[in-house]
Each structure stands twice: as C-alpha cells, then as structure tokens.
Coordinates of all heavy atoms in Angstrom, one line a residue:
M5 N -12.4 -18.6 3.4 CA -11.8 -17.8 2.4 C -10.4 -17.5 2.7 O -10.0 -17.0 3.8 CB -12.6 -16.4 2.3 CG -14.0 -16.5 1.7 SD -14.0 -16.8 0.0 CE -14.0 -15.1 -0.6
K6 N -9.5 -17.8 1.8 CA -8.1 -17.6 2.0 C -7.7 -16.1 1.6 O -8.4 -15.6 0.7 CB -7.2 -18.5 1.1 CG -7.2 -20.0 1.5 CD -6.4 -20.8 0.6 CE -6.6 -22.3 0.8 NZ -6.0 -23.1 -0.2
P7 N -6.7 -15.6 2.2 CA -6.3 -14.2 1.7 C -5.8 -14.3 0.3 O -5.1 -15.3 -0.1 CB -5.2 -13.8 2.7 CG -4.8 -15.1 3.4 CD -5.9 -16.1 3.3
K8 N -6.1 -13.2 -0.5 CA -5.7 -13.2 -1.9 C -4.3 -12.7 -2.0 O -4.0 -11.5 -1.8 CB -6.7 -12.4 -2.7 CG -8.1 -12.9 -2.6 CD -9.0 -12.0 -3.3 CE -10.4 -12.6 -3.2 NZ -11.3 -11.8 -2.4
T9 N -3.4 -13.5 -2.4 CA -2.0 -13.1 -2.5 C -1.6 -12.9 -4.0 O -0.7 -12.2 -4.4 CB -1.0 -14.1 -1.9 OG1 -1.3 -15.4 -2.3 CG2 -1.2 -14.0 -0.3
N10 N -2.2 -13.7 -4.9 CA -1.9 -13.7 -6.3 C -3.1 -13.1 -7.1 O -4.2 -13.2 -6.7 CB -1.6 -15.1 -6.8 CG -0.3 -15.6 -6.2 OD1 0.7 -14.9 -6.1 ND2 -0.3 -16.8 -5.8
P11 N -2.8 -12.5 -8.3 CA -3.9 -12.1 -9.2 C -4.7 -13.3 -9.6 O -4.1 -14.4 -9.7 CB -3.2 -11.5 -10.4 CG -1.8 -11.3 -10.0 CD -1.5 -12.2 -8.9
I12 N -6.0 -13.2 -9.6 CA -6.8 -14.3 -10.0 C -6.7 -14.6 -11.5 O -6.8 -13.7 -12.3 CB -8.3 -14.0 -9.6 CG1 -8.4 -13.5 -8.2 CG2 -9.2 -15.2 -9.9 CD1 -8.1 -14.5 -7.2
L13 N -6.4 -15.8 -11.8 CA -6.1 -16.2 -13.2 C -7.2 -15.9 -14.2 O -6.9 -15.3 -15.2 CB -5.7 -17.7 -13.2 CG -4.9 -18.1 -14.5 CD1 -3.6 -17.3 -14.6 CD2 -4.6 -19.6 -14.4
P14 N -8.5 -16.2 -13.9 CA -9.5 -15.8 -14.9 C -9.5 -14.4 -15.3 O -9.8 -14.0 -16.4 CB -10.8 -16.2 -14.2 CG -10.4 -17.3 -13.2 CD -9.0 -16.9 -12.8
C15 N -9.2 -13.5 -14.3 CA -9.2 -12.1 -14.6 C -8.1 -11.7 -15.6 O -8.2 -10.9 -16.5 CB -9.1 -11.3 -13.3 SG -10.6 -11.4 -12.3
A16 N -7.0 -12.3 -15.4 CA -5.8 -12.1 -16.2 C -6.0 -12.5 -17.6 O -5.6 -11.9 -18.6 CB -4.6 -12.8 -15.6
I17 N -6.8 -13.6 -17.8 CA -7.0 -14.2 -19.1 C -8.3 -13.6 -19.8 O -8.2 -13.1 -20.9 CB -7.1 -15.7 -19.0 CG1 -5.8 -16.3 -18.5 CG2 -7.5 -16.3 -20.4 CD1 -5.9 -17.8 -18.2
F18 N -9.4 -13.6 -19.0 CA -10.6 -13.2 -19.6 C -11.1 -11.8 -19.3 O -12.1 -11.3 -19.8 CB -11.7 -14.2 -19.2 CG -11.4 -15.6 -19.5 CD1 -11.2 -16.5 -18.5 CD2 -11.4 -16.1 -20.8 CE1 -10.9 -17.9 -18.8 CE2 -11.1 -17.4 -21.1 CZ -10.8 -18.3 -20.1
G19 N -10.4 -11.2 -18.4 CA -10.8 -9.8 -17.9 C -11.7 -10.0 -16.7 O -12.1 -11.1 -16.3
H20 N -12.0 -8.9 -16.1 CA -12.8 -8.9 -14.9 C -14.2 -9.2 -15.1 O -14.8 -8.9 -16.2 CB -12.7 -7.6 -14.1 CG -11.3 -7.3 -13.7 ND1 -10.6 -8.0 -12.8 CD2 -10.4 -6.3 -14.2 CE1 -9.4 -7.4 -12.6 NE2 -9.2 -6.4 -13.5
N21 N -14.9 -9.8 -14.1 CA -16.3 -10.1 -14.2 C -17.0 -9.1 -13.3 O -17.3 -9.5 -12.1 CB -16.5 -11.6 -13.8 CG -18.0 -12.0 -13.9 OD1 -18.7 -11.4 -14.7 ND2 -18.4 -12.9 -13.0
Y22 N -17.3 -8.0 -13.8 CA -17.9 -6.9 -13.0 C -19.4 -7.1 -12.7 O -20.1 -7.5 -13.5 CB -17.7 -5.6 -13.6 CG -16.3 -5.1 -13.6 CD1 -15.6 -4.9 -14.8 CD2 -15.6 -4.9 -12.5 CE1 -14.3 -4.4 -14.9 CE2 -14.3 -4.5 -12.5 CZ -13.6 -4.2 -13.7 OH -12.3 -3.8 -13.7
K23 N -19.7 -6.8 -11.5 CA -21.1 -6.9 -11.1 C -21.4 -5.6 -10.3 O -20.6 -5.1 -9.5 CB -21.3 -8.1 -10.1 CG -22.7 -8.5 -10.0 CD -22.8 -9.8 -9.1 CE -24.3 -10.1 -8.9 NZ -24.4 -11.2 -8.0
R24 N -22.5 -5.0 -10.6 CA -22.9 -3.7 -9.9 C -23.0 -4.0 -8.4 O -23.8 -4.8 -7.9 CB -24.2 -3.2 -10.5 CG -24.6 -1.9 -9.9 CD -25.8 -1.4 -10.6 NE -25.6 -1.1 -12.0 CZ -26.1 0.0 -12.6 NH1 -26.8 0.9 -12.0 NH2 -25.8 0.2 -13.9
S25 N -22.3 -3.2 -7.6 CA -22.3 -3.4 -6.2 C -22.9 -2.2 -5.5 O -23.4 -2.3 -4.4 CB -20.9 -3.6 -5.7 OG -20.0 -2.6 -6.1
K26 N -22.9 -1.0 -6.1 CA -23.5 0.2 -5.5 C -24.0 1.0 -6.6 O -23.4 1.1 -7.7 CB -22.5 1.0 -4.7 CG -22.3 0.6 -3.3 CD -21.3 1.5 -2.7 CE -20.5 0.8 -1.6 NZ -19.3 1.6 -1.1
T27 N -25.1 1.7 -6.4 CA -25.6 2.7 -7.3 C -25.7 4.0 -6.5 O -26.3 4.1 -5.5 CB -26.9 2.4 -7.9 OG1 -26.8 1.1 -8.6 CG2 -27.3 3.4 -9.0
Y28 N -25.0 5.1 -7.1 CA -25.0 6.4 -6.4 C -26.2 7.2 -6.8 O -26.8 7.0 -7.9 CB -23.7 7.1 -6.6 CG -22.5 6.3 -6.0 CD1 -21.6 5.7 -6.9 CD2 -22.4 6.1 -4.6 CE1 -20.5 5.0 -6.3 CE2 -21.3 5.4 -4.1 CZ -20.4 4.8 -5.0 OH -19.3 4.1 -4.5
I29 N -26.4 8.3 -6.1 CA -27.6 9.1 -6.3 C -27.4 9.9 -7.6 O -28.4 10.3 -8.3 CB -27.8 10.1 -5.1 CG1 -29.2 10.6 -5.1 CG2 -26.7 11.2 -5.0 CD1 -29.7 11.0 -3.8
D30 N -26.1 10.1 -8.1 CA -25.9 10.9 -9.3 C -25.8 9.9 -10.5 O -25.3 10.3 -11.6 CB -24.6 11.7 -9.2 CG -23.4 10.8 -8.9 OD1 -23.6 9.6 -8.6 OD2 -22.3 11.4 -8.9
H31 N -26.4 8.7 -10.4 CA -26.5 7.8 -11.5 C -25.2 7.1 -11.9 O -25.1 6.4 -12.9 CB -27.2 8.4 -12.7 CG -28.5 8.9 -12.5 ND1 -29.6 8.1 -12.1 CD2 -29.0 10.2 -12.5 CE1 -30.7 8.9 -11.9 NE2 -30.3 10.1 -12.1
T32 N -24.2 7.4 -11.1 CA -22.9 6.6 -11.3 C -23.1 5.3 -10.5 O -23.9 5.2 -9.6 CB -21.7 7.4 -10.9 OG1 -21.8 7.7 -9.5 CG2 -21.5 8.7 -11.7
A33 N -22.3 4.3 -10.9 CA -22.4 3.1 -10.2 C -21.0 2.5 -9.9 O -20.0 2.8 -10.6 CB -23.2 2.1 -11.0
E34 N -21.0 1.7 -8.8 CA -19.7 1.1 -8.5 C -19.8 -0.4 -8.9 O -20.8 -1.1 -8.5 CB -19.5 1.2 -7.0 CG -18.1 0.6 -6.5 CD -18.0 0.6 -5.0 OE1 -17.8 1.7 -4.5 OE2 -18.2 -0.4 -4.4
L35 N -18.9 -0.9 -9.7 CA -18.9 -2.2 -10.1 C -17.7 -3.0 -9.4 O -16.6 -2.4 -9.4 CB -18.7 -2.4 -11.6 CG -19.7 -1.6 -12.5 CD1 -19.4 -1.8 -14.0 CD2 -21.1 -2.0 -12.2
T36 N -18.0 -4.1 -8.9 CA -16.9 -4.9 -8.3 C -16.8 -6.2 -9.0 O -17.7 -6.9 -9.4 CB -17.3 -5.2 -6.8 OG1 -17.6 -3.9 -6.2 CG2 -16.2 -5.9 -6.1
C37 N -15.5 -6.6 -9.3 CA -15.2 -7.9 -9.9 C -15.5 -9.0 -8.9 O -15.1 -9.0 -7.8 CB -13.8 -8.0 -10.4 SG -13.3 -9.5 -11.1
T38 N -16.3 -10.0 -9.4 CA -16.7 -11.1 -8.5 C -15.6 -12.0 -8.2 O -15.6 -12.8 -7.3 CB -17.9 -11.9 -9.1 OG1 -17.5 -12.3 -10.4 CG2 -19.1 -11.0 -9.2
H39 N -14.5 -12.0 -9.0 CA -13.4 -12.9 -8.8 C -12.3 -12.3 -7.9 O -11.8 -12.9 -7.0 CB -12.8 -13.2 -10.2 CG -13.7 -14.1 -11.0 ND1 -13.8 -13.9 -12.4 CD2 -14.5 -15.0 -10.7 CE1 -14.7 -14.8 -12.8 NE2 -15.2 -15.4 -11.8
C40 N -11.9 -11.0 -8.2 CA -10.8 -10.5 -7.5 C -11.1 -9.2 -6.7 O -10.2 -8.6 -6.2 CB -9.6 -10.2 -8.5 SG -9.9 -8.9 -9.6
D41 N -12.3 -8.7 -6.7 CA -12.7 -7.6 -6.0 C -12.1 -6.3 -6.5 O -12.1 -5.3 -5.8 CB -12.4 -7.7 -4.5 CG -13.2 -8.8 -3.8 OD1 -14.3 -9.1 -4.3 OD2 -12.7 -9.3 -2.8
A42 N -11.7 -6.2 -7.8 CA -11.3 -5.0 -8.4 C -12.6 -4.1 -8.5 O -13.6 -4.6 -8.8 CB -10.7 -5.2 -9.7
V43 N -12.4 -2.8 -8.3 CA -13.5 -1.9 -8.3 C -13.4 -0.9 -9.4 O -12.3 -0.3 -9.6 CB -13.7 -1.2 -6.9 CG1 -14.8 -0.1 -7.0 CG2 -14.0 -2.2 -5.8
V44 N -14.5 -0.7 -10.2 CA -14.5 0.5 -11.1 C -15.7 1.3 -10.8 O -16.7 0.8 -10.3 CB -14.5 0.0 -12.6 CG1 -13.2 -0.6 -13.0 CG2 -15.6 -0.9 -12.9
I45 N -15.7 2.5 -11.2 CA -16.8 3.4 -11.1 C -17.2 3.8 -12.5 O -16.4 4.2 -13.3 CB -16.4 4.7 -10.3 CG1 -15.7 4.4 -9.0 CG2 -17.6 5.6 -10.0 CD1 -16.6 3.7 -7.9
T46 N -18.5 3.7 -12.7 CA -19.0 4.2 -14.0 C -19.5 5.7 -13.9 O -19.9 6.1 -12.8 CB -20.2 3.4 -14.5 OG1 -21.3 3.6 -13.6 CG2 -19.9 1.9 -14.6
D47 N -19.3 6.5 -14.9 CA -19.9 7.8 -14.9 C -21.4 7.8 -15.2 O -21.9 6.7 -15.4 CB -19.1 8.8 -15.8 CG -19.2 8.4 -17.2 OD1 -20.1 7.7 -17.6 OD2 -18.3 8.8 -18.0
S48 N -22.0 9.0 -15.3 CA -23.4 9.0 -15.5 C -23.8 8.5 -16.8 O -25.0 8.2 -17.1 CB -23.9 10.5 -15.3 OG -23.2 11.4 -16.0
N49 N -22.9 8.4 -17.8 CA -23.2 7.9 -19.1 C -23.0 6.4 -19.1 O -23.2 5.7 -20.2 CB -22.3 8.5 -20.2 CG -22.6 10.0 -20.3 OD1 -23.7 10.4 -20.3 ND2 -21.5 10.8 -20.4
G50 N -22.5 5.8 -18.1 CA -22.3 4.4 -18.0 C -20.9 3.9 -18.4 O -20.6 2.8 -18.6
N51 N -20.1 4.9 -18.7 CA -18.7 4.6 -19.1 C -17.8 4.3 -17.8 O -18.0 4.9 -16.8 CB -18.1 5.8 -19.8 CG -18.8 6.1 -21.1 OD1 -19.1 5.2 -21.8 ND2 -19.0 7.4 -21.3
F52 N -16.9 3.3 -18.1 CA -16.1 3.0 -17.0 C -15.1 4.1 -16.6 O -14.5 4.7 -17.5 CB -15.3 1.7 -17.4 CG -16.0 0.4 -17.1 CD1 -17.4 0.4 -17.0 CD2 -15.3 -0.7 -17.0 CE1 -18.0 -0.8 -16.8 CE2 -15.9 -1.9 -16.8 CZ -17.3 -2.0 -16.7
E53 N -14.8 4.2 -15.4 CA -13.8 5.1 -15.0 C -12.9 4.3 -14.0 O -13.3 4.0 -12.9 CB -14.4 6.3 -14.2 CG -13.6 7.5 -14.2 CD -14.4 8.7 -13.7 OE1 -15.3 9.2 -14.4 OE2 -14.1 9.1 -12.5
N54 N -11.8 3.8 -14.5 CA -11.1 2.9 -13.7 C -10.5 3.5 -12.5 O -9.8 4.5 -12.5 CB -10.0 2.3 -14.6 CG -9.7 0.8 -14.2 OD1 -9.9 0.5 -13.0 ND2 -9.2 0.0 -15.1
N55 N -10.8 2.9 -11.4 CA -10.5 3.5 -10.1 C -9.1 2.9 -9.6 O -8.5 3.5 -8.7 CB -11.6 3.1 -9.1 CG -11.6 4.2 -8.0 OD1 -11.3 5.3 -8.2 ND2 -12.1 3.8 -6.8
T56 N -8.7 1.8 -10.2 CA -7.5 1.2 -9.8 C -6.5 1.2 -10.9 O -6.9 1.1 -12.1 CB -7.7 -0.3 -9.4 OG1 -8.4 -0.9 -10.5 CG2 -8.6 -0.4 -8.2
V57 N -5.3 1.4 -10.6 CA -4.2 1.5 -11.7 C -3.8 0.1 -11.9 O -3.3 -0.6 -11.1 CB -3.0 2.3 -11.2 CG1 -1.9 2.3 -12.3 CG2 -3.5 3.8 -11.0
T58 N -4.0 -0.4 -13.2 CA -3.6 -1.7 -13.5 C -2.1 -1.7 -13.9 O -1.6 -0.6 -14.2 CB -4.4 -2.3 -14.7 OG1 -4.2 -1.5 -15.8 CG2 -5.9 -2.3 -14.3
N59 N -1.5 -2.8 -14.0 CA -0.1 -2.9 -14.4 C 0.1 -2.4 -15.8 O 1.1 -1.7 -16.0 CB 0.4 -4.3 -14.3 CG 0.6 -4.7 -12.8 OD1 0.8 -3.9 -12.0 ND2 0.6 -6.0 -12.6
S60 N -0.8 -2.7 -16.7 CA -0.6 -2.3 -18.1 C -0.7 -0.7 -18.2 O 0.0 -0.1 -18.9 CB -1.6 -3.0 -19.0 OG -2.9 -2.5 -18.7
Q61 N -1.6 -0.2 -17.4 CA -1.7 1.3 -17.5 C -0.5 1.9 -16.9 O 0.0 2.9 -17.5 CB -2.9 1.7 -16.6 CG -4.2 1.6 -17.3 CD -5.4 2.0 -16.4 OE1 -5.4 1.7 -15.2 NE2 -6.3 2.7 -16.9
L62 N 0.1 1.4 -15.9 CA 1.3 1.9 -15.2 C 2.4 1.8 -16.2 O 3.2 2.7 -16.4 CB 1.6 1.1 -14.0 CG 2.6 1.7 -13.0 CD1 2.2 3.1 -12.5 CD2 2.9 0.8 -11.9
K63 N 2.5 0.7 -16.9 CA 3.6 0.4 -17.9 C 3.5 1.5 -19.0 O 4.5 2.0 -19.4 CB 3.4 -1.0 -18.4 CG 4.7 -1.6 -18.9 CD 4.6 -3.0 -19.3 CE 4.6 -3.1 -20.8 NZ 4.2 -4.4 -21.3
D64 N 2.3 1.7 -19.5 CA 2.1 2.7 -20.6 C 2.5 4.1 -20.1 O 3.2 4.8 -20.9 CB 0.6 2.7 -21.0 CG 0.3 1.5 -21.8 OD1 1.2 0.7 -22.2 OD2 -0.9 1.3 -22.1
T65 N 2.2 4.4 -18.9 CA 2.5 5.7 -18.4 C 4.0 5.8 -18.2 O 4.6 6.9 -18.6 CB 1.9 5.9 -17.0 OG1 0.5 5.7 -17.1 CG2 2.1 7.3 -16.5
L66 N 4.7 4.8 -17.7 CA 6.1 4.8 -17.6 C 6.8 4.9 -18.9 O 7.8 5.6 -19.0 CB 6.6 3.6 -16.8 CG 6.2 3.6 -15.3 CD1 6.6 2.2 -14.7 CD2 6.9 4.7 -14.6
Q67 N 6.3 4.2 -19.9 CA 6.9 4.2 -21.2 C 6.8 5.6 -21.8 O 7.7 6.2 -22.4 CB 6.2 3.2 -22.2 CG 6.8 1.8 -22.0 CD 6.0 0.8 -22.9 OE1 5.0 1.1 -23.4 NE2 6.6 -0.3 -23.0
E68 N 5.6 6.3 -21.6 CA 5.4 7.6 -22.1 C 6.3 8.6 -21.4 O 6.9 9.4 -22.1 CB 3.9 8.0 -21.9 CG 3.5 9.4 -22.4 CD 3.5 9.5 -23.9 OE1 3.7 8.5 -24.6 OE2 3.3 10.6 -24.4
L69 N 6.5 8.4 -20.2 CA 7.4 9.3 -19.4 C 8.8 9.1 -19.8 O 9.5 10.1 -20.0 CB 7.2 8.9 -17.9 CG 7.7 9.9 -16.9 CD1 6.9 11.2 -16.9 CD2 7.7 9.3 -15.5
Y70 N 9.2 7.9 -20.1 CA 10.5 7.6 -20.6 C 10.8 8.2 -21.9 O 11.8 8.8 -22.1 CB 10.7 6.1 -20.6 CG 12.0 5.6 -21.2 CD1 13.2 5.9 -20.4 CD2 12.1 4.9 -22.4 CE1 14.4 5.4 -20.9 CE2 13.4 4.5 -22.8 CZ 14.5 4.8 -22.1 OH 15.7 4.4 -22.6
R71 N 9.8 8.1 -22.8 CA 9.9 8.7 -24.1 C 10.0 10.2 -24.0 O 10.9 10.8 -24.7 CB 8.6 8.3 -24.9 CG 8.8 8.6 -26.4 CD 7.5 8.2 -27.1 NE 6.4 9.1 -26.7 CZ 6.2 10.3 -27.1 NH1 7.0 10.9 -28.0 NH2 5.1 11.0 -26.7
L72 N 9.2 10.8 -23.2 CA 9.3 12.3 -23.0 C 10.6 12.7 -22.4 O 11.2 13.7 -22.9 CB 8.1 12.8 -22.1 CG 6.7 12.7 -22.7 CD1 5.7 13.0 -21.7 CD2 6.6 13.7 -23.9
T73 N 11.1 12.0 -21.5 CA 12.4 12.3 -20.8 C 13.5 12.3 -21.8 O 14.4 13.1 -21.9 CB 12.6 11.3 -19.7 OG1 11.5 11.3 -18.8 CG2 13.8 11.8 -18.9
R74 N 13.4 11.2 -22.7 CA 14.5 11.1 -23.7 C 14.4 12.3 -24.7 O 15.4 12.8 -25.2 CB 14.3 9.8 -24.5 CG 14.9 8.6 -23.7 CD 14.9 7.4 -24.5 NE 15.5 7.6 -25.9 CZ 15.7 6.6 -26.7 NH1 15.3 5.4 -26.5 NH2 16.3 6.8 -27.9
T75 N 13.2 12.6 -25.1 CA 13.0 13.7 -26.0 C 13.6 15.0 -25.5 O 14.3 15.8 -26.1 CB 11.5 13.9 -26.3 OG1 11.0 12.7 -26.8 CG2 11.3 14.9 -27.5
V76 N 13.3 15.3 -24.2 CA 13.8 16.5 -23.5 C 15.3 16.5 -23.5 O 15.9 17.5 -23.8 CB 13.2 16.6 -22.1 CG1 13.8 17.7 -21.3 CG2 11.7 16.9 -22.2
S77 N 15.9 15.4 -23.1 CA 17.3 15.3 -22.9 C 18.0 15.4 -24.3 O 19.1 16.1 -24.4 CB 17.8 14.1 -22.2 OG 17.3 12.9 -22.9
K78 N 17.4 14.9 -25.3 CA 17.9 15.0 -26.7 C 18.0 16.4 -27.1 O 18.9 16.9 -27.7 CB 17.0 14.1 -27.6 CG 17.7 13.5 -28.8 CD 16.6 12.8 -29.6 CE 17.1 11.8 -30.5 NZ 16.0 11.1 -31.2
T79 N 16.8 17.1 -26.8 CA 16.8 18.5 -27.2 C 17.9 19.3 -26.5 O 18.5 20.2 -27.1 CB 15.4 19.1 -26.8 OG1 14.4 18.2 -27.3 CG2 15.2 20.5 -27.3
K80 N 18.1 19.0 -25.3 CA 19.1 19.7 -24.5 C 20.5 19.5 -25.1 O 21.3 20.4 -25.3 CB 19.1 19.3 -23.1 CG 18.2 20.0 -22.2 CD 18.3 19.5 -20.8 CE 17.1 20.0 -19.9 NZ 17.0 19.3 -18.7
V81 N 20.7 18.3 -25.6 CA 22.1 17.9 -26.1 C 22.3 18.6 -27.4 O 23.4 19.2 -27.7 CB 22.2 16.4 -26.3 CG1 23.4 16.0 -27.1 CG2 22.2 15.7 -24.9
T82 N 21.3 18.7 -28.3 CA 21.5 19.2 -29.6 C 21.4 20.8 -29.6 O 21.9 21.4 -30.6 CB 20.4 18.7 -30.6 OG1 19.1 18.9 -30.0 CG2 20.6 17.2 -30.9
S83 N 20.9 21.4 -28.6 CA 20.8 22.9 -28.7 C 22.1 23.5 -28.3 O 22.9 23.0 -27.6 CB 19.6 23.3 -27.7 OG 19.9 23.0 -26.4
Ligands
ZN116 ZN1 -11.2 -9.5 -11.5

C-alpha cells in the first residue's frame, strides 16, 4: 500500500463508496469510504453527519462569510 497523497479519483467523480465500519451502542454508525478512508457518522435516524470538512463545504462557508462581511461593511459605509 502506497501512502495516499492525492484525492482518489473515483470519489471525486462518483462520490464516496461508504461501508459500515462500526456500529455504536446508541444506534449511530461509522461509515468508512473503501476508496479513500473518508469517515462519516450517521445519527440514530440513519442520516449522515459529515465528520470531515470537504473542500466544497469549506468553499460554501467562505463564500457565505465573504457575503456577510461585505454586507456588514456596506452597512457601515452607508450609515
Ligand atoms: Zn472516498
């Protein structure tokens, strides 16, 4: 096994291939991607709770932050 330095291509194109790796006593489960070892935790309803911050999530957050910052500075200028 070589060390993983690049994102695995199938995950980038097709999404992760999650497989249940752990089941917790509170009925939540840990899913691990068989390709790139990304881990997500499901809640007791089986919904994904992403444990890792993906690039797109980070981008969205930064865009939102940028938008808010601009709105705030705009308000300051016009008041
Ligand atoms: Zn993956």
Side-chain angles (χ1 to χ4, degrees):
M5 292 286 272
K6 288 180 192 172
K8 296 174 182 111
T9 51
N10 293 317
I12 307 296
L13 201 59
C15 293
I17 297 170
F18 303 112
H20 299 291
N21 181 31
Y22 290 119
K23 199 177 177 185
R24 183 175 295 221
S25 51
K26 272 182 210 167
T27 304
Y28 298 110
I29 200 155
D30 58 354
H31 302 296
T32 61
E34 186 186 284
L35 308 179
T36 305
C37 176
T38 55
H39 293 142
C40 70
D41 294 335
V43 174
V44 292
I45 309 292
T46 64
D47 64 19
S48 50
N49 298 317
N51 296 315
F52 275 22
E53 203 172 288
N54 212 330
N55 209 26
T56 55
V57 177
T58 65
N59 284 339
S60 66
Q61 281 179 317
L62 192 63
K63 208 175 104 190
D64 288 350
T65 307
L66 287 174
Q67 276 177 348
E68 181 69 6
L69 199 64
Y70 178 65
R71 194 182 63 78
L72 287 171
T73 309
R74 277 187 55 175
T75 308
V76 168
S77 58
K78 210 182 198 177
T79 308
K80 273 183 192 163
V81 169
T82 52
S83 63

